[in-house]
Amino acid sequence: MRLSQYFLPTLRENPAEAQIVSHRLMLRAGLIRQQAAGIYAWLPLGYRVLRNIERIVREEQDASGAQEVLMPTIQSADLWRESGRYDAYGPEMLRIKDRHDREMLYGPTNEEMITTIFRDGVKSYRDLPLNLYHIQWKFRDEVRPRFGVMRGREFLMKDNYSFDIDKAGATRSYNRMFVAYLRTFARMGLKAIPMRADTGPIGGDLSHEFIILAETGESAVFCDRDLVDKDILGRAIDYAGDLQPLVNEWTAQYAATDEMHDAARFETEVPAGRRLAARGIEVGHIFYFGTKYSAPMNAVVSGPKGEPITVEMGSYGIGVSRLAGAIIEASHDDAGIIWPESVAPFRIGLLNLKPDDGAVSKACNDLYATLRAKGVEVLHDDRDLRPGAKFADMDLIGLPWQVIIGPKGLAAGKVEVKNRATGARSELALDQVAATFAA
Amino acid sequence: MRLSQYFLPTLRENPAEAQIVSHRLMLRAGLIRQQAAGIYAWLPLGYRVLRNIERIVREEQDASGAQEVLMPTIQSADLWRESGRYDAYGPEMLRIKDRHDREMLYGPTNEEMITTIFRDGVKSYRDLPLNLYHIQWKFRDEVRPRFGVMRGREFLMKDNYSFDIDKAGATRSYNRMFVAYLRTFARMGLKAIPMRADTGPIGGDLSHEFIILAETGESAVFCDRDLVDKDILGRAIDYAGDLQPLVNEWTAQYAATDEMHDAARFETEVPAGRRLAARGIEVGHIFYFGTKYSAPMNAVVSGPKGEPITVEMGSYGIGVSRLAGAIIEASHDDAGIIWPESVAPFRIGLLNLKPDDGAVSKACNDLYATLRAKGVEVLHDDRDLRPGAKFADMDLIGLPWQVIIGPKGLAAGKVEVKNRATGARSELALDQVAATFAA
């Protein structure tokens, strides 16, 4: 993409309304714009990030055996009366009346709807286990939305729902999501630590939050430092096999959010040198809640002998739009965002330092064309601006690599390559750039 | 995907509520389920189709130079007061009050919002032309929703908005969309005919509807038969060049919807043998409307001499979810859906005719693994069912190719291959199947 034609309205000043760094940087880097309190539009650069996050979530869900559906945003109130949650849910639920005065709502979550889809479509134990997910916009009418996409009202969430005939099956489904979540966050360059969680209004008796560490995190967390260094991506995963040992390995050590924290246990179980008290951001949450919805809503299959079995359910959520902010909280510096390669909107920023120099512009245009032909995603800053402004913008938007072409280097056949994360700079022969990045 | 593990709740009986064939088939083939009047959930097979349609729309938008954003579903009423449409829009607008009693609405379209995003982000004529699109759920509170996803209340739409400094530029933007739309629909196997349209409530002085022909179409259409046979996919397109000759070519012949039809002109201009009176379904609509929104909403850029220029706008819509139904209306038979390859949920249905025969099951499993390894999308019917039920389901869901393996053929090293569209059957050596479809 040529920056001269790209809609990237960056801001020089810090917007007054933004209290945390990710919100500030998302506004300044032209990723989002607020449309109403807690409601954002995603501009081209931001939407590329959001779609990358969504793609990783989808790939890991698919790999785990979950099947993708899409449920609508608007639901009927009657559906929520079946579970008893219509009256129980607070003012966070956006309640709506349609033109015929029927009571509707903008879905904050989908346990009820998926349960009716399940009970209408599945009749036999032979069709289980089943795990259905969707990635859809939700609405929670927060009394005081803030922190940009971290606590918005309209937000994109991946939620899924597992159905099993017994607790053992439900635990296997839970474990598959546990591992899929570890992989999902790790692929985004995040250190996500599963922490035993309170089950809250969704109910049930087994639940973990996935927390990433960031200085600006919303809550205090406590864990064994060893957990931070554990790496799931190097491990072979067989979703058809027994994942309990892997789950045990990730839950054996102490890890707790503020509300579940037990200071005495922390000090007993964790050696002083490994005690980590930090701040964290919740990016995922998984629940096993048994028959909490299937019993009142009559989600029953027939068993091997024709007997009715009320299915055991779990639900699992990842805050997809929230992750865009969370990744920035975990990965930025004073100059701007530092995108991990897997979610970066473009892999390379190509800087033309002297657009009015024919040789420099030709080298830039040729390299841009070559990289694109090789499938490398490049944002080409061909604007008629001073180098200083280009450097500042490129650091601000945080693409992983900067390839910088100016008249001096070019005369020697050289370009400069800068790694955004480390700041390391190196010289590369112009004719080696494409091969280096296409590899 | 193994059908024994796939959530595909097909129906044997025609659902009473479905009046048109696409609605009937989408319910029977397990593509969608109604959640409230005019509001649908997309089940796994249906969502694969929807995503294929969305992908083609996106690829053609990107190729045309449009840039993708994502605007939220919920908008503030004040935004619509700026253009004067808040009071003008009828009861189709779903109006909402949030917990602070602020007036909001579920967006039926996005002219107002994109205009504010533009005016906040673009200040100079040098940043034009600009064309921003998004693919997002919309809501129109139809008084009597019907025909399934063809006239639902919550629907997925691709809409975009072009910004130019003068009418000549706006016409070039319009022409790019005109051609992109021809390509988009052609890639989905549809014959879409552009027809001069009334500009209606969006306003403006240039507009075309893109109509596909289907016996069950919602409105009468009249055109020169030659238009049906024109093929855009064989033409080289340069979006940076002058597309006017191509647009002229597609608009030179008579084509009109009922409301714009001029019977006398039709008979004068079109020779009797080429006069086509048929029924059509609108799948796209493009508008040039000048300064209708930019003037009241003050979307102004500075020109070459610093003078203020009120930008010229156009908007362009494709009914993404509607297309799933429209494609079925245009492509089905008595046995079920006939998906064009480009949007089919899977390319191949692999039928195991005797799951309790070890050799047959091994051949099926091996072929399934080989095809998947080659990136071919296969739905493997490994269910313990009679062949007749498998044939019926496979015809119903309409995958382009059926590969049928039974004990007799297998003994001779043969499988049967059926083309769903033509019904043509052929024998193929088992060891040639993968190479045939991977090619």
Side-chain angles (χ1 to χ4, degrees):
Chain A
M1 183 58 64
R2 289 178 181 280
L3 198 37
S4 62
Q5 295 164 15
Y6 198 53
F7 183 55
L8 181 63
T10 55
L11 305 176
R12 294 217 189 122
E13 306 297 330
N14 275 324
E17 75 267 32
Q19 301 170 42
I20 61 170
V21 66
S22 63
H23 191 191
R24 269 199 307 274
L25 288 173
M26 290 184 80
L27 290 169
R28 284 194 52 208
L31 305 182
I32 56 170
R33 283 295 180 265
Q34 181 171 299
Q35 299 305 311
I39 301 179
Y40 294 87
W42 295 74
L43 306 190
L45 199 73
Y47 195 48
R48 290 178 73 100
V49 173
L50 189 65
R51 283 179 51 82
N52 283 337
I53 293 170
E54 188 183 325
R55 175 180 48 75
I56 292 171
V57 170
R58 175 174 289 120
E59 286 172 358
E60 294 299 324
Q61 286 296 310
D62 290 344
S64 79
Q67 298 175 40
E68 188 169 13
V69 299
L70 189 71
M71 290 177 272
T73 60
I74 302 296
Q75 308 186 15
S76 85
D78 284 343
L79 183 61
W80 286 63
R81 292 200 174 95
E82 282 196 54
S83 70
R85 281 209 291 184
Y86 188 67
D87 295 320
Y89 218 100
E92 282 75 31
M93 179 183 278
L94 188 67
R95 294 161 206 258
I96 302 169
K97 283 198 178 165
D98 73 7
R99 67 189 292 170
H100 299 299
D101 242 18
R102 284 176 294 215
E103 290 174 292
M104 316 289 287
L105 58 97
Y106 198 122
T109 177
N110 285 69
E111 280 81 6
E112 285 79 0
M113 189 178 284
I114 201 76
T115 302
T116 67
I117 290 171
F118 174 87
R119 79 180 173 202
D120 292 344
V122 178
K123 302 299 178 193
S124 163
Y125 75 98
R126 280 186 300 262
D127 297 324
L128 301 189
L130 184 65
N131 189 334
L132 300 172
Y133 77 98
H134 78 154
I135 302 174
Q136 177 63 293
W137 292 88
K138 312 282 192 295
F139 202 96
R140 287 185 196 159
D141 201 359
E142 302 269 357
V143 65
R144 200 159 66 89
R146 55 194 164 144
F147 304 153
V149 301
M150 295 278 287
R151 192 176 287 267
R153 294 198 292 169
E154 185 169 333
F155 60 97
L156 185 61
M157 186 168 164
K158 185 284 301 168
D159 41 321
N160 48 347
Y161 305 92
S162 64
F163 303 89
D164 286 273
I165 54 165
D166 54 24
K167 185 165 181 178
T171 303
R172 286 191 294 272
S173 292
Y174 186 92
N175 288 347
R176 277 191 289 271
M177 285 302 102
F178 187 103
V179 173
Y181 274 35
L182 287 177
R183 282 188 49 86
T184 299
F185 300 125
R187 283 185 59 192
M188 295 175 194
L190 296 172
K191 299 276 186 190
I193 301 167
M195 302 194 179
R196 187 99 184 184
D198 193 10
T199 53
I202 292 189
D205 63 0
L206 179 59
S207 176
H208 285 89
E209 290 178 348
F210 289 75
I211 305 280
I212 62 166
L213 304 184
E215 279 170 35
T216 52
E218 60 209 339
S219 57
V221 296
F222 305 86
C223 71
D224 189 319
R225 197 179 295 274
D226 278 6
L227 277 169
V228 180
D229 298 321
K230 291 186 75 68
D231 177 24
I232 191 74
L233 294 180
R235 309 291 285 269
I237 308 294
D238 173 13
Y239 283 107
D242 182 8
L243 297 172
Q244 194 65 54
L246 207 57
V247 172
N248 291 347
E249 199 184 309
W250 253 267
T251 52
Q253 282 145 313
Y254 189 92
T257 56
D258 213 0
E259 54 189 351
M260 302 287 278
H261 183 49
D262 176 340
R265 246 192 75 205
F266 187 46
E267 295 192 8
T268 313
E269 291 182 15
V270 187
R274 298 204 326 242
R275 272 177 224 148
L276 182 65
R279 300 208 58 90
I281 298 169
E282 182 194 329
V283 289
H285 204 153
I286 63 180
F287 298 93
Y288 160 63
F289 48 69
T291 61
K292 180 178 161 70
Y293 299 93
S294 53
M297 297 184 69
N298 202 32
V300 173
V301 296
S302 61
K305 294 167 191 161
E307 75 281 15
I309 301 173
T310 302
V311 296
E312 298 272 326
M313 291 175 59
S315 75
Y316 315 89
I318 290 179
V320 175
S321 49
R322 157 171 267 229
L323 271 165
I327 292 168
I328 294 173
E329 292 292 335
S331 184
H332 66 271
D333 61 17
D334 289 345
I337 302 166
I338 302 171
W339 290 118
E341 292 222 8
S342 59
V343 300
F346 294 91
R347 188 158 169 237
I348 296 177
L350 171 61
L351 287 81
N352 179 339
L353 294 192
K354 211 162 187 315
D356 57 358
D357 179 318
V360 172
S361 287
K362 181 175 187 316
C364 287
N365 289 335
D366 289 352
L367 181 59
Y368 175 63
T370 306
L371 286 168
R372 276 169 50 104
K374 289 179 186 287
V376 182
E377 294 182 328
V378 187
L379 184 63
H380 176 189
D381 192 348
D382 59 343
R383 296 175 300 173
D384 187 18
L385 283 182
R386 294 176 299 109
K390 294 189 175 191
F391 290 135
D393 272 352
M394 206 50 89
D395 278 354
L396 174 64
I397 68 173
L399 308 183
W401 297 95
Q402 298 175 13
V403 174
I404 301 157
I405 305 188
K408 276 191 204 161
L410 187 63
K414 301 283 187 188
V415 306
E416 190 176 30
V417 175
K418 174 179 159 184
N419 180 289
R420 175 67 181 90
T422 63
R425 293 164 183 274
S426 57
E427 277 207 330
L428 209 60
L430 175 63
D431 57 11
Q432 286 174 9
V433 176
T436 303
F437 286 100
Chain B
M1 184 56 66
R2 289 179 182 278
L3 198 36
S4 61
Q5 295 165 11
Y6 199 52
F7 183 53
L8 181 63
T10 56
L11 305 175
R12 294 220 188 118
E13 306 297 330
N14 276 324
E17 74 266 32
Q19 302 169 44
I20 61 169
V21 66
S22 62
H23 191 189
R24 268 199 307 273
L25 288 173
M26 290 184 81
L27 290 169
R28 284 195 52 207
L31 305 182
I32 57 170
R33 284 295 181 265
Q34 181 171 301
Q35 299 305 312
I39 301 179
Y40 293 87
W42 295 74
L43 306 191
L45 199 73
Y47 195 49
R48 290 179 73 100
V49 173
L50 188 65
R51 282 180 50 83
N52 283 336
I53 293 170
E54 189 182 325
R55 176 181 47 76
I56 292 171
V57 169
R58 175 175 289 119
E59 287 172 358
E60 294 299 324
Q61 286 296 308
D62 290 343
S64 80
Q67 298 175 39
E68 189 169 13
V69 299
L70 189 70
M71 290 176 272
T73 61
I74 301 297
Q75 308 185 17
S76 86
D78 284 342
L79 184 61
W80 287 64
R81 291 200 174 97
E82 282 197 52
S83 70
R85 282 209 292 184
Y86 188 67
D87 296 319
Y89 218 101
E92 284 74 31
M93 179 183 278
L94 187 66
R95 294 160 206 260
I96 301 169
K97 284 198 177 163
D98 74 6
R99 68 189 291 171
H100 298 299
D101 242 20
R102 284 177 295 217
E103 290 175 293
M104 314 289 286
L105 58 98
Y106 197 122
T109 177
N110 285 67
E111 280 81 7
E112 284 80 359
M113 189 179 283
I114 200 78
T115 301
T116 66
I117 290 172
F118 174 88
R119 81 180 172 201
D120 293 344
V122 178
K123 302 298 178 194
S124 164
Y125 75 98
R126 280 186 300 263
D127 296 326
L128 302 189
L130 184 65
N131 188 334
L132 300 172
Y133 77 98
H134 78 155
I135 302 174
Q136 177 63 294
W137 292 88
K138 312 283 192 295
F139 203 96
R140 289 186 194 159
D141 202 359
E142 302 270 355
V143 64
R144 200 159 66 89
R146 56 196 163 140
F147 303 154
V149 299
M150 295 277 288
R151 191 176 286 267
R153 294 198 289 170
E154 186 170 333
F155 59 98
L156 186 60
M157 187 167 163
K158 185 285 300 169
D159 41 321
N160 47 349
Y161 305 92
S162 64
F163 303 88
D164 286 273
I165 54 164
D166 55 23
K167 184 165 181 178
T171 303
R172 286 191 294 272
S173 292
Y174 186 91
N175 289 345
R176 278 192 288 271
M177 285 300 104
F178 188 103
V179 173
Y181 275 35
L182 286 176
R183 283 188 49 87
T184 299
F185 300 125
R187 283 185 60 191
M188 295 175 193
L190 297 171
K191 299 277 188 191
I193 301 168
M195 300 194 181
R196 187 97 185 184
D198 194 9
T199 53
I202 291 188
D205 63 0
L206 179 58
S207 177
H208 285 91
E209 290 177 349
F210 289 76
I211 305 280
I212 62 166
L213 304 183
E215 280 171 32
T216 52
E218 60 211 339
S219 58
V221 296
F222 306 86
C223 72
D224 189 319
R225 198 179 295 273
D226 279 5
L227 277 169
V228 180
D229 298 322
K230 291 187 76 68
D231 177 23
I232 191 74
L233 295 181
R235 309 291 284 269
I237 308 293
D238 173 12
Y239 282 108
D242 182 8
L243 297 172
Q244 195 64 54
L246 208 58
V247 172
N248 292 346
E249 201 185 308
W250 253 267
T251 52
Q253 280 144 316
Y254 189 92
T257 57
D258 213 0
E259 54 189 352
M260 301 288 278
H261 183 50
D262 176 339
R265 246 192 75 204
F266 188 45
E267 294 190 11
T268 313
E269 292 183 16
V270 188
R274 299 205 322 245
R275 271 176 225 148
L276 181 64
R279 302 209 56 90
I281 298 169
E282 182 193 329
V283 289
H285 204 153
I286 63 180
F287 298 91
Y288 160 63
F289 48 69
T291 61
K292 180 177 161 69
Y293 298 93
S294 52
M297 297 184 69
N298 202 31
V300 172
V301 296
S302 61
K305 293 167 192 159
E307 75 282 17
I309 300 173
T310 302
V311 297
E312 298 272 326
M313 292 175 58
S315 76
Y316 315 89
I318 289 179
V320 175
S321 49
R322 159 170 265 227
L323 272 166
I327 292 168
I328 294 174
E329 292 291 335
S331 184
H332 67 272
D333 62 16
D334 289 345
I337 302 166
I338 302 172
W339 290 118
E341 292 222 9
S342 59
V343 299
F346 294 91
R347 188 156 168 236
I348 295 177
L350 171 61
L351 287 82
N352 178 340
L353 294 192
K354 211 163 187 312
D356 57 357
D357 179 317
V360 172
S361 287
K362 181 174 187 317
C364 287
N365 289 335
D366 289 352
L367 181 58
Y368 175 63
T370 306
L371 286 167
R372 275 168 51 105
K374 288 179 185 288
V376 182
E377 294 184 325
V378 187
L379 185 63
H380 177 189
D381 191 349
D382 60 342
R383 296 174 301 173
D384 187 19
L385 283 181
R386 294 175 300 107
K390 295 189 173 188
F391 290 134
D393 272 353
M394 206 49 90
D395 279 354
L396 174 64
I397 68 174
L399 308 183
W401 297 96
Q402 298 173 13
V403 174
I404 302 157
I405 305 188
K408 275 190 203 162
L410 186 63
K414 301 284 189 188
V415 306
E416 190 175 31
V417 175
K418 175 180 158 183
N419 180 287
R420 175 67 182 88
T422 65
R425 292 163 186 274
S426 57
E427 277 207 330
L428 209 59
L430 175 61
D431 57 12
Q432 286 174 9
V433 175
T436 302
F437 285 100

